[in-house]
Amino acid sequence: MLLAGGLKSLLPHVLRRIIRCNRLSISNTSGMAEGYKQANVVILHKSLADDFEKFCRANDGPLPLLHRSQPGDWKCPSLSSDSDIRTDCLQYRKYEHGVCTGSLKSLKEYSEQLKDMVTFYLGCSFSFEKAVQKAGIPIRNIEQKCNVSMYKTSVPCYSISVFHCNLVVTMRPIPESKLGAVVLATSELEGAHGAPVHIGDPGLLGIQDLSKPDYGDPVHLQPGDIPVFWACGVTGVEAIINCRAPLAFTHSPGCMFITDLKNDNVRSLGGAPQVHCISQDPLHFSIVSAEAAQKINTLETLIGIDPGERGIAHLQRPRELLAAGLALSHAGSVLITTGFPTHLGQQPPEENDGPPGALAIAAMLQALEKRVAIVTDRRAMDLNRRIMEAAVQLGILKKPIPLLSYQRENADSALKFLCENGDPGRPRFDHLVAIERAGMAADGNYYNARKVNIKHLVDPIDELFLAARTIPGITTTGVGDGGNELGMGKVKDAVKKHIKNGDVIACDVEADFTVVAGVSNWGGYALACALSVLRCCDTHDRYLRRALGPRRPRGRPWLPALPSVPKEEKLLKTLVQLGVRSGKTASLEMEVDGLPFYNVHSLMIEKLL
């Protein structure tokens, strides 16, 4: 019997001959024939073959199709010389009506049945192990001399006819400092499942316990490791089980068919992918192309000018817009709040910075088919309802969105508002956004820029952001332009030091991400643009859909939801008609924060677009 020691350097045709002779004392092919492609194998009746091929092409992340044979053809010259699929896998599994009825070393005794069956060779993540190691990244299962861990997830594949199942993934522990490198190394190898489909908490995939894989062996994380998940070809096995075919064969998980094909690196479109952390609880990272990230960073630079000379440059934190955009892109349900009643002597007391930016974010989220709601002060519900009706009539929103208010009734009010039945395990929202929303200062009061206390006009929506910090799965963004807005607590020290009256007015409540703009509406426009950039990014789109189902629509139907000069001009005119005034001057003119709409705000919108 041959042991595993020297197998990694043997040529594929030599390994296949050794496997055919049943002379290996190993349980999987991980680490063997380094640099060559390995393949998952599915063999089924020819009557099912066309639909299974469609299923593979619809879910090309877990099921990258390398070759489909003709019925009864157990050789595969396009992948290998002198091969025989009946004998060249370490071990096979036999399925009858969806039930595994045995493990086999050879399929030769089924040669008659195989004459009416078609073999599918599907890419395998073992193929990228050499590229990962070459990048200086350890492969823990090889170090620990065991098979890779494979898990069933709660993520459904795109169904075709009788073929339906949830995604199966492999997990490899990767040092956090190497996450970018491992994404780069694998993203170029689409025939070996490509880039990861999830980085971080396994619970987000529906995996409850990493120590109990559904296939393969447990692989232990070392200190500093992050669990990284790739789509897995064993997804095909689950599809075979669910279709309940009278007879089917697959490789045994981890026992791959070794091809003669070397991995061919194809440079990723959009430049090297980047990895960014978007949540600490649960731990969650996202992926974006370098090109898309640069565009969003440019948006952040554009909105960072300081036309009011307030000193906001001291508040800005780089790449916060990118992180907020990524978190929103992953969110399914978003709650937005706005409203700064700065004009105590006017009715209504609200300023016109905030609502346009909030509606720009809401419009894009709506176009991306996410659930979205707005929460505001109870006394301002009628005003906000009229603003929303106008936004629908102007074509900014496709339809009205829920308008909510929040009041503190007891210590659990915020938890009950944010979560079903007050259960932190069932949040109603994934992300909260505050844009130009009055924020609570350290003394519990709310102040405008002139240091006037406006607490009597403000409902305690801050409590939702404070509660969100204790609820796993909810992230938050604050957008502001002066430091007294909800969410700006992250930069409160800079506000106190550099902003006029900052020692009194600084908001004490933090958001996970802080977007600082010259005018808060600009931050809302930039977030809408960032979401569009991410939706256009193939790298991010693939990660978002777990490499399952159809790619993003070619027509980009969300683009009309972007803010535009004509839409924002009409909205500002509506706000003037409703008596909503400029924040700095209290003027009922076409201006925001004392800056004219024409040639200032209109020019910013054009630059962002």
Side-chain angles (χ1 to χ4, degrees):
M1 298 292 284
L2 293 176
L3 301 176
L7 297 179
K8 66 180 183 179
S9 59
L10 289 181
L11 291 174
H13 72 275
V14 177
L15 277 169
R16 288 195 302 273
R17 288 175 187 170
I18 295 171
I19 291 170
R20 197 176 304 157
C21 297
N22 195 23
R23 294 178 57 204
L24 287 178
S25 61
I26 58 173
S27 60
N28 65 83
T29 56
S30 176
M32 295 170 63
E34 285 185 341
Y36 288 88
K37 291 181 180 179
Q38 298 193 32
N40 298 271
V41 174
V42 171
I43 306 173
L44 40 66
H45 193 267
K46 61 185 179 183
S47 63
L48 297 170
D50 286 349
D51 282 340
F52 187 72
E53 179 175 347
K54 292 175 184 175
F55 181 72
C56 293
R57 297 199 184 282
N59 300 282
D60 58 357
L63 304 171
L65 184 56
L66 302 181
H67 180 74
R68 170 186 167 172
S69 79
Q70 294 297 317
D73 186 0
W74 40 74
K75 297 190 180 299
C76 185
S78 67
L79 299 182
S80 56
S81 61
D82 74 346
S83 64
D84 186 335
I85 197 56
R86 299 172 302 171
T87 58
D88 290 1
C89 290
L90 271 176
Q91 192 171 37
Y92 303 85
R93 286 187 177 179
K94 176 186 175 184
Y95 291 89
E96 296 176 281
H97 302 285
V99 177
C100 181
T101 56
S103 295
L104 310 165
K105 287 290 187 181
S106 169
L107 300 182
K108 275 197 166 181
E109 62 181 292
Y110 296 97
S111 295
E112 192 61 32
Q113 292 93 325
L114 289 171
K115 290 178 180 177
D116 289 323
M117 302 183 82
V118 173
T119 301
F120 287 84
Y121 300 81
L122 306 165
C124 170
S125 61
F126 288 175
S127 305
F128 65 52
E129 289 173 339
K130 178 65 174 178
V132 170
Q133 290 174 318
K134 190 175 179 180
I137 303 162
I139 297 182
R140 301 298 188 202
N141 68 289
I142 294 179
E143 290 180 348
Q144 296 168 27
K145 295 181 171 60
C146 63
N147 198 355
V148 71
S149 302
M150 291 162 266
Y151 304 88
K152 301 176 186 179
T153 75
S154 59
V155 181
C157 291
Y158 191 83
S159 299
I160 298 289
S161 186
V162 298
F163 295 105
H164 61 93
C165 66
N166 286 353
L167 175 68
V168 177
V169 293
T170 57
M171 187 282 293
R172 290 170 174 82
I174 303 295
E176 184 170 359
S177 63
K178 299 288 187 179
L179 292 177
V182 80
V183 170
L184 177 61
T186 57
S187 64
E188 301 175 354
L189 302 171
E190 290 190 358
H193 303 303
V197 296
H198 178 64
I199 303 174
D201 193 312
L204 295 172
L205 294 176
I207 300 168
Q208 301 304 317
D209 190 345
L210 285 181
S211 69
K212 297 177 180 178
D214 296 290
Y215 301 97
D217 301 318
V219 179
H220 304 294
L221 279 72
Q222 302 300 314
D225 282 352
I226 303 293
V228 180
F229 300 85
W230 280 264
C232 176
V234 176
T235 302
V237 175
E238 291 294 305
I240 293 301
I241 291 171
N242 288 343
C243 85
R244 301 182 184 277
L247 179 66
F249 302 97
T250 72
H251 70 291
S252 188
C255 301
M256 305 300 172
F257 175 81
I258 301 173
T259 79
D260 292 341
L261 301 182
K262 285 195 170 184
N263 284 315
D264 47 344
N265 289 8
V266 179
R267 179 60 54 185
S268 302
L269 295 176
Q274 297 180 4
V275 180
H276 295 271
C277 183
I278 59 172
S279 172
Q280 289 292 338
D281 186 15
L283 187 62
H284 191 192
F285 295 80
S286 188
I287 298 176
V288 63
S289 72
E291 180 184 6
Q294 181 55 50
K295 283 185 180 181
I296 294 171
N297 291 336
T298 300
L299 295 174
E300 186 175 61
T301 300
L302 286 172
I303 64 172
I305 63 172
D306 189 4
E309 298 182 346
R310 301 181 186 182
I312 65 167
H314 300 287
L315 315 186
Q316 291 165 348
R317 299 292 181 270
R319 293 177 291 281
E320 291 281 291
L321 180 67
L322 174 59
L326 287 168
L328 278 168
S329 183
H330 281 270
S333 179
V334 179
L335 180 68
I336 302 172
T337 185
T338 189
F340 209 122
T342 189
H343 302 304
L344 273 70
Q346 305 290 343
Q347 281 298 326
E350 270 70 25
E351 65 166 299
N352 57 17
D353 188 18
L359 289 171
I361 299 168
M364 182 54 66
L365 293 171
Q366 199 176 62
L368 295 175
E369 301 182 345
K370 299 178 185 294
R371 299 184 302 279
V372 58
I374 290 179
V375 60
T376 190
D377 301 299
R378 180 176 290 178
R379 58 159 188 83
M381 288 287 281
D382 183 61
L383 172 64
N384 279 276
R385 192 173 290 111
R386 293 166 71 185
I387 293 172
M388 191 182 303
E389 289 170 357
V392 175
Q393 292 173 358
L394 294 173
I396 294 171
L397 295 176
K398 290 190 294 185
K399 59 182 180 180
I401 57 180
L403 189 60
L404 312 173
S405 67
Y406 169 76
Q407 299 291 315
R408 177 185 172 87
E409 296 175 356
N410 54 55
D412 294 330
S413 292
L415 189 63
K416 291 177 179 176
F417 186 94
L418 293 174
C419 303
E420 297 284 349
N421 300 318
D423 179 1
R426 299 174 62 196
R428 291 189 176 98
F429 307 101
D430 306 308
H431 198 92
L432 311 183
V433 180
I435 174 169
E436 192 62 23
R437 170 71 193 177
M440 185 172 64
D443 63 2
N445 291 316
Y446 297 78
Y447 297 96
N448 65 16
R450 296 178 293 279
K451 209 164 55 172
V452 176
N453 188 355
I454 56 173
K455 183 176 182 178
H456 62 291
L457 297 174
V458 181
D459 290 345
I461 290 172
D462 303 66
E463 293 181 3
L464 303 180
F465 280 68
L466 291 169
R469 299 185 73 82
T470 70
I471 302 170
I474 302 182
T475 48
T476 57
T477 293
V479 182
D481 57 17
N484 56 344
E485 301 90 358
L486 177 53
M488 293 290 115
K490 192 173 182 179
V491 294
K492 62 184 178 182
D493 291 339
V495 174
K496 292 175 182 179
K497 184 176 181 181
H498 298 287
I499 302 297
K500 183 179 179 180
N501 299 323
D503 57 328
V504 174
I505 71 173
C507 176
D508 202 52
V509 181
E510 291 188 25
D512 294 309
F513 312 110
T514 301
V515 177
V516 178
V519 177
S520 292
N521 281 342
W522 299 353
Y525 302 152
L527 272 172
C529 291
L531 284 167
S532 180
V533 170
L534 291 171
R535 193 71 175 95
C536 293
C537 172
D538 290 335
T539 299
H540 182 67
D541 174 67
R542 181 187 186 276
Y543 187 75
L544 207 59
R545 60 184 171 82
R546 316 288 194 197
L548 301 172
R551 299 171 188 243
R552 58 177 168 75
R554 288 185 179 276
R556 302 183 179 183
W558 61 89
L559 291 182
L562 284 167
S564 69
V565 172
K567 286 192 293 187
E568 297 306 311
E569 178 185 23
K570 292 174 184 176
L571 179 59
L572 184 54
K573 286 180 178 178
T574 299
L575 292 175
V576 170
Q577 292 168 4
L578 292 173
V580 182
R581 300 169 181 270
S582 172
K584 188 172 183 179
T585 64
S587 170
L588 274 177
E589 303 291 339
M590 291 294 289
E591 65 173 53
V592 178
D593 274 353
L595 303 169
F597 178 79
Y598 305 105
N599 297 324
V600 177
H601 299 289
S602 61
L603 186 61
M604 177 57 69
I605 294 167
E606 290 172 352
K607 286 181 178 180
L608 293 172
L609 291 176

